[in-house]
Amino acid sequence: MKMANVKSVESGKYNKMLAEALKKGKLFDRPEWVSFVKTGAGKARPNTDEDFWYKRAASILRQIYIKGIVGVERLRTRYGNRKKRGMKPSKFVKGSGKIIRTILQQAEEAGLVAKAESSKKGRKLTEKGKEFMEKVANEGGRD
């Protein structure tokens, strides 16, 4: 039996599996304000997906797994998009920092990530976080 790695499982499929695991495990709780805020300045309306919080949390955890140490600013750039400005040309804007910060704080409380002690600022996965993510990859990566 071959062990599945987080990087070996297709990203969209893995993020869905991880989001389900986060929702079932009650590791993250969706704040009430999420249904009223946009995910970035470039968006016209708030996200209507009920599971958005868990999907974004799964995506952020996967980014940290792949990149090692990741800070809020890099994640804001990662989740940014093009803002339509009427007659002016479109322009890239960063995503919402509040959403990313809150997810990172919840992940820290759950013991999945910790602040990096090195010269590089940001968050990195803990051993518990790596084990949790690899367990999810092994459960779903077998089909």
Side-chain angles (χ1 to χ4, degrees):
M1 183 169 97
K2 189 179 162 211
M3 296 281 286
N5 185 355
V6 173
K7 294 178 184 176
S8 66
V9 181
E10 192 262 310
S11 62
K13 180 181 169 189
Y14 178 76
N15 281 349
K16 283 181 186 165
M17 294 185 311
L18 185 57
E20 283 299 312
L22 292 173
K23 194 173 181 181
K24 283 180 193 161
K26 305 260 190 277
L27 294 172
F28 289 79
D29 44 322
R30 183 179 180 272
E32 301 98 53
W33 51 261
V34 171
S35 52
F36 306 112
V37 297
K38 301 189 299 181
T39 58
K43 298 290 185 182
R45 298 180 185 280
N47 199 316
T48 56
D49 186 5
E50 278 296 311
D51 292 337
F52 161 75
W53 192 256
Y54 306 104
K55 289 177 182 176
R56 179 59 59 95
S59 178
I60 288 173
L61 288 174
R62 186 172 181 279
Q63 287 294 314
I64 296 172
Y65 184 92
I66 290 169
K67 301 240 190 320
I69 298 174
V70 182
V72 174
E73 282 303 307
R74 184 185 277 186
L75 289 168
R76 283 188 68 201
T77 304
R78 170 77 177 81
Y79 296 109
N81 63 326
R82 287 167 52 132
K83 179 180 176 92
K84 292 182 181 170
R85 305 188 311 154
M87 295 300 288
K88 293 183 272 183
S90 295
K91 178 177 161 185
F92 178 82
V93 290
K94 291 182 177 183
S96 168
K98 170 76 174 180
I99 291 172
I100 293 167
R101 263 191 310 279
T102 308
I103 287 173
L104 288 173
Q105 287 163 358
Q106 286 183 0
E108 231 174 308
E109 286 172 25
L112 301 177
V113 300
K115 288 184 178 164
E117 299 93 39
S118 67
S119 62
K120 201 172 179 188
K121 283 187 172 181
R123 304 274 197 327
K124 63 179 182 175
L125 280 176
T126 60
E127 284 303 313
K128 179 185 173 188
K130 285 179 187 170
E131 288 170 12
F132 176 73
M133 292 182 70
E134 286 165 359
K135 187 181 99 185
V136 171
N138 288 326
E139 286 172 4
R142 284 190 235 128
D143 8 297

Coordinates of all heavy atoms in Angstrom, one line a residue, residues 6-7 9-16 62 66:
V6 N 0.7 14.9 0.5 CA -0.1 16.1 0.3 C 0.1 16.6 -1.1 O -0.8 17.0 -1.8 CB 0.1 17.2 1.4 CG1 -0.7 18.4 1.0 CG2 -0.3 16.7 2.7
K7 N 1.4 16.7 -1.5 CA 1.7 17.2 -2.8 C 1.4 16.3 -4.0 O 1.2 16.8 -5.1 CB 3.2 17.5 -2.9 CG 3.7 18.6 -1.9 CD 5.2 18.9 -2.0 CE 5.6 19.9 -1.0 NZ 7.1 20.1 -1.0
V9 N -1.4 14.5 -4.1 CA -2.9 14.5 -4.4 C -3.2 15.8 -5.1 O -2.7 16.8 -4.8 CB -3.6 14.4 -3.0 CG1 -5.1 14.4 -3.3 CG2 -3.2 13.2 -2.3
E10 N -4.1 15.7 -6.1 CA -4.5 16.8 -6.9 C -5.1 17.9 -5.9 O -5.8 17.6 -5.0 CB -5.5 16.4 -7.9 CG -5.9 17.4 -9.0 CD -7.1 18.2 -8.7 OE1 -8.1 17.6 -8.4 OE2 -7.0 19.4 -8.8
S11 N -4.6 19.2 -6.1 CA -4.9 20.2 -5.2 C -6.4 20.5 -4.9 O -6.8 20.6 -3.7 CB -4.2 21.5 -5.6 OG -4.7 22.0 -6.8
G12 N -7.2 20.6 -5.9 CA -8.6 20.8 -5.7 C -9.3 19.7 -4.9 O -10.1 20.0 -4.0
K13 N -9.0 18.5 -5.3 CA -9.5 17.3 -4.6 C -9.0 17.3 -3.1 O -9.8 17.1 -2.2 CB -9.0 16.0 -5.3 CG -9.5 14.8 -4.7 CD -9.0 13.6 -5.5 CE -9.2 12.3 -4.8 NZ -8.5 11.2 -5.4
Y14 N -7.8 17.6 -2.9 CA -7.2 17.6 -1.5 C -7.8 18.7 -0.7 O -8.2 18.4 0.5 CB -5.7 17.7 -1.5 CG -5.1 17.7 -0.1 CD1 -5.0 16.6 0.6 CD2 -4.8 18.9 0.5 CE1 -4.6 16.6 1.9 CE2 -4.3 19.0 1.8 CZ -4.2 17.8 2.5 OH -3.7 17.8 3.8
N15 N -8.0 19.9 -1.3 CA -8.6 21.0 -0.5 C -10.0 20.6 -0.1 O -10.4 21.0 1.0 CB -8.6 22.3 -1.3 CG -7.2 22.9 -1.2 OD1 -6.3 22.5 -0.5 ND2 -7.0 23.9 -2.1
K16 N -10.8 20.0 -0.9 CA -12.2 19.6 -0.5 C -12.1 18.6 0.6 O -12.9 18.7 1.6 CB -12.9 19.0 -1.7 CG -13.4 20.0 -2.7 CD -14.1 19.4 -3.9 CE -14.4 20.4 -4.9 NZ -14.8 19.8 -6.2
R62 N -2.7 24.2 3.1 CA -2.0 23.6 2.1 C -0.8 24.5 1.6 O 0.3 24.0 1.3 CB -2.9 23.2 0.9 CG -2.2 22.4 -0.2 CD -3.2 21.9 -1.2 NE -2.5 21.1 -2.2 CZ -1.8 21.7 -3.2 NH1 -1.8 23.0 -3.4 NH2 -1.2 20.9 -4.1
I66 N 3.2 23.5 1.6 CA 4.0 23.5 0.5 C 5.2 24.5 0.6 O 6.3 24.2 0.3 CB 3.2 23.8 -0.8 CG1 2.3 22.6 -1.1 CG2 4.0 24.1 -2.0 CD1 1.2 22.9 -2.1

